[in-house]
Amino acid sequence: MHVLNRPVFGALALALLTLPTSATAQLQAPNGVVTLAAGTGAPIAALRESDTLVNQLTRDGSLRLTAQTDDPLAPDRSHERLQQFHEGVPVYGAEVTRQTARGLPVSLFGTVHLAIDLETTPELSADDATAVVRGLSGRTLFRSEPPQLVVLPDRTNPGTYRLVYEARTFTGSQLMVYFVDAATGALVWSYNDLKTQQPVLPCAQCVIGEGLGIKSDRKKMSVTTVGGAFLAHDQLRPAEVFTFDMDGDLPRTQLVLNGLAPLFDADLSTDTDNRWLDGASVDAHVGMGWTYDYLSIRFGRQGLNNQNVRMVSLVHPVNRGDLFSATAEEIGLFYLNAFYCGLCGPDGVGVVVFGEGLPPNILLGGQRFNFFSGALDIVAHELAHAVTDFTSALLYMDESGALNEAFSDVIGVGVEFYAESLFRDGAGVADYALGEDVIEPGGIRSLANPIQFGDPDHYSLRFLGKDDNGGVHTNSLIPGHAFYLAIEGGTNRVSGLSVAGVGGDNREQIEQIFFRAFTVLMTRTSDFAAARAATIQSARDLYGVNSAPARAVTEAWTAVGVN
Amino acid sequence: MRTRQAISLCRGALAPALWLIAGLLVAAPEAAAQLAPTHRIVARLDSGWRPASRTFAGTRMFTAHQEQGQFEADYELKDGGVIDGGISFRLWRNLGIGFDVSRFRTIHGARIASEVPHPFFFDLPRRTTGRAGGLERQELGFHIRALWVSQFADWLVVSVSAGPSIISAKQDLVTTVQHTEVGFPFSDLVFSGHTVSAQSETTTGLNGGVDIDSFFLHRLPFLRRFAAMERIGVGLLARYVRGVVTLQVDGQPIEVDLGGLQITSGVRFRF
């Protein structure tokens, strides 16, 4: 067996890549950082070279298989996700996805670091790191996720690395991710990982109930009956769906989110006659179920983590009547937002919280804010963050964060169109606007016309500041608009380039292309260019190199300025 | 299609009777002329068969998953045995009156087509089919007949009759259907059973028929010495009975056709 020790191998691999041979001409390794983007659109030599590198790193133990799945959309394909380790410590964001067909590589995407020279014995213990984080956040850590030692690539100085502890905690309004230097205890980096809807601001007990959504539209609810009462607990879907009514108790809501207070059956939204009238609970519960259905039927996915992890939401986290005594932070998060917290909840499997909105007589910017669960696209958007967390885990910052948001918008819109035939009693129509059913008039974002809400519809107009984790919400409209153009076609306002979309009747093609690219081809640090490459690869895999969907996706990215 | 089959079966049942009449008329020279009837009372006891000549369907609504569903049971009535007996009186010349009682019983099945609401969505019913077997139909008929009696020989009597009937029907009806959900995404489900209840009702109807009686036993050499043989004969009755009854299943009506063509034969006693 061919064995090299890792530093020696890394140096050899780096040396190999820096030689201008024909075999290595495709891979560039500035500072030892290699970005892999080899697919059917790349020269075959690049694919072979990338595959050889990945194989060598895998044999060496630097890359370890973390997930392997068969492709539900392309039967002969399978996907591997590999995580890079340095001396047994994971390298943050260093991942590779490899698509194979009958064992042969089809595409490779991701980033690996070949020139790591770092001692991995920490001077601080995990308990020391916990104390540091407690001091930073004022909160205890999630019991389910103690600090983890990772090698953190320097974001501003590629090729340099630090040994850090990664720790997460919910502060009451933010899901903070802290990176604490394992030698000094200094805070190296942090970001808010709370995925919000908008910036800043066959069992015996199963029964079917009928509920009225916030628009008084009739919906069927899959619930559980216990002791004559009916609980918002869906056991009919392979993934159980729970909708908890926090009854406006914000302190308890925060304890629950922090994993410091349990949730009981008594906390579930309840009805006495199975004729549900609390629209916020009805829409949350039904919307989560429909989102599960969409993921299953459209993509063959088994729930959020593909293993039918249960789906939990909290409604009524606050009382509208307490609005004037609430802090700005509480208003921004629990009244005027919805969010997915990946590690929140009693068992740390993630929770979606739907904001309460504002009293009907209070407008904000000329818009009325209703219960956030009343918008199906918002429900699906938040759950899509969980799908991202369980797949590409796109870093919630800068372009990868914008892609994270864009994917949620894509799923939000997709579910809305999927469920349009299920709407009853004038509950609305499917469109490319986000949140228009609860933030009236208009909503908060438009994939069809991003500029309507001041969001960029071209890469040249992207937000480059640091607010909102680097503009994850506003910049999400660039890929989001590309998604729209690939389906509906049209001309980009800025570039003037036209796109021949596949048409609304074929939207499923573009949805599958994006879903597949975002869940199995992209990695934590993918940027817009990587998303372009991954979606084009996905289109070619599913529909052929010169297919209409592949052309539409390519034209759409070009039209929005992502090349 | 069913009507055509029924007509075909009727023709098949009538054929033997017609051949019997034709044969007897040709074979018996003394039958060429019609005689005045010689006896006032004829009693008979028959058994026979009723071909399948009836189908009927019933639709029932039910509530499932907060929505209305329905099933249609298409009952396929099979042929069955008939016991028939009665007595007739000649009142004046060829005219008479008769009183008959008949009983019909058959076991049959039904095809069931259901539309079952989806557990998650309105207006997306799932469709299933199934079968119900072992359903029983009983009819007890009381028939009053006005008779025209023709005697073609001392041993051959043909009577044509018509009149009202009172029919009491007992019918097993499918009252509920059961399904087993296959599971997510609940696009399919399996028909797993049904329940049945017997419903009874009495109605009025009409009957009409031809009875061919032959009293030839006393002409047989080995029976000639028995005087009673002159009064005993055999006969063939072809009768059509028609009635309609409305049965109720949980307040939902199902219209059921009763009767049909029946062919019976048996003994005759004349006085």
Side-chain angles (χ1 to χ4, degrees), chain A residues 208 220 275 290 293 424, chain B residues 66-67 118 122-123 184:
Chain A
I208 303 301
K220 288 187 180 184
R275 300 275 172 188
W290 287 2
D293 299 344
R424 292 288 176 274
Chain B
Q66 301 288 340
E67 195 178 1
H118 195 285
F122 285 107
D123 303 327
F184 184 83

Side-chain angles (χ1 to χ4, degrees), chain A residues 208-210 218-220 222 236-238 274-275 290 292-293 296-297 422 424, chain B residues 63-67 117-124 181-186:
Chain A
I208 303 301
E210 181 178 318
R218 288 178 307 134
K219 290 169 174 165
K220 288 187 180 184
S222 173
L236 290 180
R237 290 179 169 88
N274 216 13
R275 300 275 172 188
W290 287 2
Y292 179 91
D293 299 344
S296 171
I297 291 166
L422 310 175
R424 292 288 176 274
Chain B
T63 300
H65 301 330
Q66 301 288 340
E67 195 178 1
H118 195 285
F120 298 156
F121 313 115
F122 285 107
D123 303 327
L124 282 178
E181 296 280 5
V182 175
F184 184 83
F186 299 100

